[in-house]
Amino acid sequence: MALVAAGAAGLYTHYYAAFTLLAINAAFGIWWLCKKQAASRQWRSLVMWGLGQVAIVAAFAPWLPAAWTQATTNTTFFPGRVGWQTVVSDTLRAFATGSIATSPPSAWATWSLAILIALGLLASRAPRYKLVTLAMLMAVPVAIMASLAWNKPKFAPRYLIMALPAFLLLAGAGLETLWQGRRRIPRALTTAAFVAAGGIVFATSAISLYNTYYAPELVRPDARSIANYITQYEHPGDIVILLGGYQQPVFEYYYSGGTPLVPMPPGLLPPAQQPLDYGAATTLEQAAQGKSRLWLALWQSQLADPMNVVMNELTSKAQRLGVGQEFHGMQLLLFDLNNHTPFGAKPQYALDIDYAQPLSLAGYDLTPGHASPGQTISLALYWQANAKLDENYMTFVHLSRPDGSLAAQDDHIAGADSFPSSLWQTGTLVRNTFSLTIPPDAQPGVYKIIVGLYNEEGRLNTLAGADQTILGTITILGQ
């Protein structure tokens, strides 16, 4: 009954407790095959064990539909792979030293514990079946996690916390082996090894614990302080934008004010492959209607808004106010919405240029229309996906002299590094910004602005057959 209760409680606490249950079943299978006992008792033990596992599944059954939905729809990760070496090394470092896995002492502690575990497995006087069980409890979850992370690169050592007790018990078996060895090996040597191993582990763990509470870069995101700050200084007519809907439950837990909250994008598990595009600016304008101030809480905004749509709209079209406090792992900004320029405005110059691929150039913004040598002009291009795209494209922007030679250029990926064109869904609207610096020795005249797309095979053609588009001209003034 204790195993059934613990197994069900583990699953309700963390889905990956299933890895530990699989490890326990593997250890039981080894014990059952190796145990020499009467056939009737052996089969009875197998039946009773099977009934216990069925009871665990039955106890968790009410939550299975929710768990299955979350497991099959959670895409809060970018495409790629996490190799088994990363899973194993990161897990060992985290188990050995906690949060200081990049510091030199952590390597000493990790190797010390690895040696202790090897000693525990090879030379401990503990019963073999206990050591095998501990080894299975450590190895099986890590192996399963490595297999899953190969296809779904979402991994953190904390996912395997259920394996930590086995890790520590195995290290303890190694310490016991060292201590017992003092009877067969010179006492001074074994005692020194025992003290050194224990001292390294204790020292690095103490440093890690200290850093967890006092090192700003390691402290958890300070949602509590942000929620309390807004509660203290909010005004009637305010609104709070949570950039990243996944922070909403934590924020609401600490927040006791009355200001409306708007998560962008909504949902607890927004897919990383479908972050905010320029259409979010329209949502921002709708949320801002009738409001006098806007609080913007930022946490992992590079996932929710890789192209900085919300931040760019607010900083360019509303007045930023001061916030009198900084917060660990999060940012809080405040904007005055009175007399703000509407968010989500259409392109300054509308276009409808279709490419041979299902992609269109919908328009552009250009400021200013003239410039002096050494000055920088800003250009924004609006791309729209008309169907799912299969490739990642680059955008080029050239400033051409009257004689056709290149005066300035700015090339970068269409979209963002974490949101390239291959991730765009049908209807995605992307606003890319570019900067062109006029050469200091530029001669006065009318310069052309030329844009286009390219990939590894070369430039992309429009439906009209052109591999570039002349957006317009800009006049370069004399010195």
Side-chain angles (χ1 to χ4, degrees):
M1 289 302 296
L3 179 62
V4 172
L11 290 174
Y12 276 108
T13 302
H14 199 304
Y15 296 149
Y16 289 169
F19 300 169
T20 300
L21 291 175
L22 289 174
I24 292 173
N25 276 273
F28 173 82
I30 294 174
W31 172 85
W32 187 81
L33 290 172
C34 297
K35 185 72 171 178
K36 297 185 182 302
Q37 56 183 340
S40 59
R41 291 190 60 189
Q42 190 168 7
W43 285 106
R44 183 175 180 274
S45 64
L46 182 62
V47 171
M48 295 300 294
W49 182 266
L51 290 175
Q53 306 311 301
V54 172
I56 293 174
V57 175
F60 188 66
W63 193 252
L64 272 175
W68 178 255
T69 299
Q70 183 174 346
T72 54
T73 60
N74 186 348
T75 55
T76 54
F77 53 86
F78 295 110
R81 297 189 186 279
V82 175
W84 68 267
Q85 301 95 329
T86 300
V87 174
V88 173
S89 61
D90 286 3
T91 299
L92 289 179
R93 281 197 296 267
F95 282 7
T97 62
S99 300
I100 59 168
T102 57
S103 64
S106 70
W108 307 337
T110 303
W111 279 109
S112 297
L113 286 176
I115 293 170
L116 290 177
I117 289 173
L119 286 172
L121 288 172
L122 297 175
S124 176
R125 295 185 178 183
R128 291 289 100 183
Y129 74 89
K130 290 185 178 180
L131 292 175
V132 170
T133 300
L134 290 176
M136 298 294 287
L137 288 172
M138 180 65 199
V140 171
V142 173
I144 296 175
M145 187 71 254
S147 299
L148 293 178
W150 182 255
N151 292 316
K152 289 189 174 183
K154 187 176 177 65
F155 165 71
R158 65 178 182 275
Y159 297 167
L160 295 172
I161 195 170
M162 296 291 185
L164 179 58
F167 177 89
L168 297 176
L169 287 171
L170 284 170
L175 283 173
E176 179 194 29
T177 300
L178 280 177
W179 187 248
Q180 295 294 338
R182 75 189 195 284
R183 300 174 182 174
R184 301 184 300 275
I185 304 173
R187 180 172 298 185
L189 181 60
T190 55
T191 301
F194 181 90
V195 172
I200 289 173
V201 173
F202 176 81
T204 51
S205 298
I207 295 172
S208 178
L209 189 63
Y210 176 87
N211 286 343
T212 299
Y213 286 97
Y214 298 105
E217 67 275 14
L218 297 175
V219 173
R220 286 181 176 275
D222 201 358
R224 183 205 304 259
S225 294
I226 283 186
N228 292 340
Y229 188 92
I230 295 176
T231 301
Q232 183 178 359
Y233 294 105
E234 64 187 3
H235 294 170
D238 285 0
I239 189 170
V240 177
I241 300 294
L242 303 175
L243 196 53
Y246 30 76
Q247 63 172 301
Q248 183 177 4
V250 176
F251 189 90
E252 288 181 335
Y253 180 83
Y254 294 116
Y255 182 58
S256 58
T259 298
L261 307 178
V262 178
M264 295 180 66
L268 301 182
L269 296 172
Q273 295 86 347
Q274 299 179 33
L276 297 176
D277 64 4
Y278 189 69
T282 302
T283 304
L284 181 64
E285 176 63 22
Q286 294 171 350
Q289 289 295 318
K291 304 299 180 182
S292 58
R293 300 194 312 171
L294 182 147
W295 299 90
L296 179 64
L298 299 167
W299 181 57
Q300 295 185 346
S301 57
Q302 71 277 13
L303 300 178
D305 189 10
M307 292 179 295
N308 294 317
V309 173
V310 174
M311 178 69 83
N312 289 341
E313 288 291 298
L314 287 170
T315 54
S316 63
K317 299 177 180 179
Q319 180 184 358
R320 183 173 173 179
L321 304 175
V323 174
Q325 184 177 336
E326 294 184 355
F327 307 91
H328 293 307
M330 300 183 70
Q331 280 186 288
L332 180 65
L333 287 74
L334 179 61
F335 296 89
D336 184 352
L337 296 178
N338 295 305
N339 303 318
H340 77 275
T341 303
F343 307 123
K346 293 182 179 180
Q348 182 181 1
Y349 301 97
L351 297 173
D352 188 14
I353 299 175
D354 293 327
Y355 281 77
Q357 290 75 9
L359 186 65
S360 300
L361 179 58
Y364 68 97
D365 301 333
L366 177 62
T367 54
H370 55 80
S372 301
Q375 186 178 349
T376 298
I377 60 176
S378 297
L379 173 72
L381 300 178
Y382 294 78
W383 300 104
Q384 181 166 341
N386 302 318
K388 185 71 172 66
L389 299 168
D390 297 326
E391 295 186 68
N392 296 328
Y393 299 120
M394 298 288 294
T395 304
F396 68 85
V397 174
H398 293 172
L399 183 65
S400 175
R401 294 186 178 93
D403 63 3
S405 61
L406 184 65
Q409 74 178 90
D410 186 7
D411 293 23
H412 60 68
I413 191 169
D417 289 342
S418 58
F419 191 43
S421 52
S422 62
L423 295 183
W424 299 356
Q425 304 299 313
T426 302
T428 296
L429 182 62
V430 171
R431 181 179 187 268
N432 276 158
T433 58
F434 301 83
S435 296
L436 294 172
T437 300
I438 311 301
D441 59 351
Q443 298 299 312
V446 178
Y447 288 57
K448 295 178 181 179
I449 297 179
I450 302 172
V451 304
L453 294 168
Y454 63 93
N455 58 14
E456 294 180 354
E457 298 177 356
R459 290 187 178 184
L460 276 62
N461 288 327
T462 66
L463 288 181
D467 65 359
Q468 63 183 27
T469 297
I470 301 175
L471 288 186
T473 60
I474 183 169
T475 300
I476 305 301
L477 305 176
Q479 293 284 4

